[in-house]
Amino acid sequence: MSKIEVKNAEGKKATTLELSSDVYGIEPNIPTTHQVVTCQASSRRQGTHAVKNRSAVSGGGVKPWRQKGTGRARQGTIRAPQWAGGGVVFGPTPRTHNKRINSKMVKLAMRSVLSGKLADNELIVVDELSFEKPSTKQAVALLEALEVAGKRVTVVVTDDDVNTFLSFRNIERVRVIGVSEAGAENLIDNAALVMPVEVAKQLEEVLS
């Protein structure tokens, strides 16, 4: 079992939590993590980039000058690629950037990220995130107590914890996500990962 200190709202040690070594104590698999993060980033791309080729550019229906006798190079249309305002050669076209990867690799990547965060002391578990109403001031105070204010922080909350989500969402350099949104890319892209005990246990249950 892997052990981690559980902190309270004042940033002090509240208790110790035992976590499964199969989720929070493995040797991080860096190649798999890289492959999964790259896949997730690529799948977010819309793929709507496009340019007009010579058939899509308007105009150019008339030959600009006769074939011979002018002393100039022969031209068939003013919308050829070498003309200003002409079509683009080999430009991007709309396509999908989606990649597929199996669920075992996704889970291994998440376990690798969580284990790496714990080993690097970048995983912070708090006893609870209790906000009776949305309060950015209270959220900032919590980050200062945890000594992560000003860092890039990812806060993982339960999916139904609306008040906590609203409290953290407007803080600069802080990203708050629901536990169902947690993925290797979301968990690794930060300098500190904050979550309550409930979320840590929920992730452990899903990834075991």
Side-chain angles (χ1 to χ4, degrees), residues 80-92:
Q82 72 271 18
W83 284 74
V88 177
V89 183
F90 305 131

Side-chain angles (χ1 to χ4, degrees), residues 55-75:
S55 66
V57 177
S58 63
V62 179
K63 188 174 177 65
W65 51 75
R66 67 179 189 266
Q67 183 79 349
K68 293 179 178 291
T70 65
R72 290 178 290 184
R74 57 194 174 186
Q75 300 292 331

Side-chain angles (χ1 to χ4, degrees), residues 37 40-41 44 129 143 148 151-157 164-178 181-195:
V37 170
Q40 293 174 345
R44 286 204 322 273
L129 294 173
L143 295 177
V148 294
K151 296 182 179 181
R152 287 187 300 109
V153 180
T154 298
V155 181
V156 187
V157 301
T164 301
F165 178 86
L166 295 176
S167 298
F168 281 99
R169 69 174 180 172
N170 287 331
I171 303 176
E172 187 177 4
R173 306 191 75 187
V174 174
R175 181 180 186 184
V176 55
I177 60 174
E181 300 177 83
E185 184 184 11
N186 293 336
L187 299 178
I188 200 173
D189 187 23
N190 52 69
L193 181 62
V194 179
M195 63 181 67

Side-chain angles (χ1 to χ4, degrees), residues 11-197:
K12 299 179 180 179
K13 179 180 177 181
T15 182
T16 301
L17 177 66
E18 291 190 350
L19 298 170
S20 172
S21 297
D22 294 333
V23 177
Y24 292 90
I26 69 171
E27 180 70 24
N29 190 316
I30 296 177
T32 299
T33 303
H34 176 268
Q35 189 171 349
V36 171
V37 170
T38 302
C39 173
Q40 293 174 345
S42 296
S43 297
R44 286 204 322 273
R45 297 182 64 178
Q46 290 183 321
T48 54
H49 42 20
V51 296
K52 290 184 177 182
N53 56 24
R54 61 184 298 170
S55 66
V57 177
S58 63
V62 179
K63 188 174 177 65
W65 51 75
R66 67 179 189 266
Q67 183 79 349
K68 293 179 178 291
T70 65
R72 290 178 290 184
R74 57 194 174 186
Q75 300 292 331
T77 172
I78 62 171
R79 292 297 178 250
Q82 72 271 18
W83 284 74
V88 177
V89 183
F90 305 131
T93 56
R95 67 184 181 91
T96 177
H97 292 272
N98 291 344
K99 296 181 180 180
R100 301 188 65 181
I101 200 164
N102 63 64
S103 59
K104 288 184 178 180
M105 293 180 68
V106 173
K107 289 185 176 181
L108 175 58
M110 289 185 65
R111 290 197 295 268
S112 297
V113 172
L114 291 172
S115 298
K117 288 292 182 182
L118 180 58
D120 295 338
N121 296 320
E122 293 182 352
L123 176 62
I124 301 174
V125 178
V126 296
D127 52 0
E128 62 178 352
L129 294 173
S130 56
F131 290 81
E132 296 181 358
K133 61 180 181 179
S135 174
T136 303
K137 182 178 180 179
Q138 184 180 347
V140 170
L142 175 61
L143 295 177
E144 291 176 349
L146 297 175
E147 299 180 351
V148 294
K151 296 182 179 181
R152 287 187 300 109
V153 180
T154 298
V155 181
V156 187
V157 301
T158 55
D159 292 328
D160 58 351
D161 194 351
V162 178
N163 288 339
T164 301
F165 178 86
L166 295 176
S167 298
F168 281 99
R169 69 174 180 172
N170 287 331
I171 303 176
E172 187 177 4
R173 306 191 75 187
V174 174
R175 181 180 186 184
V176 55
I177 60 174
V179 65
S180 63
E181 300 177 83
E185 184 184 11
N186 293 336
L187 299 178
I188 200 173
D189 187 23
N190 52 69
L193 181 62
V194 179
M195 63 181 67
V197 173

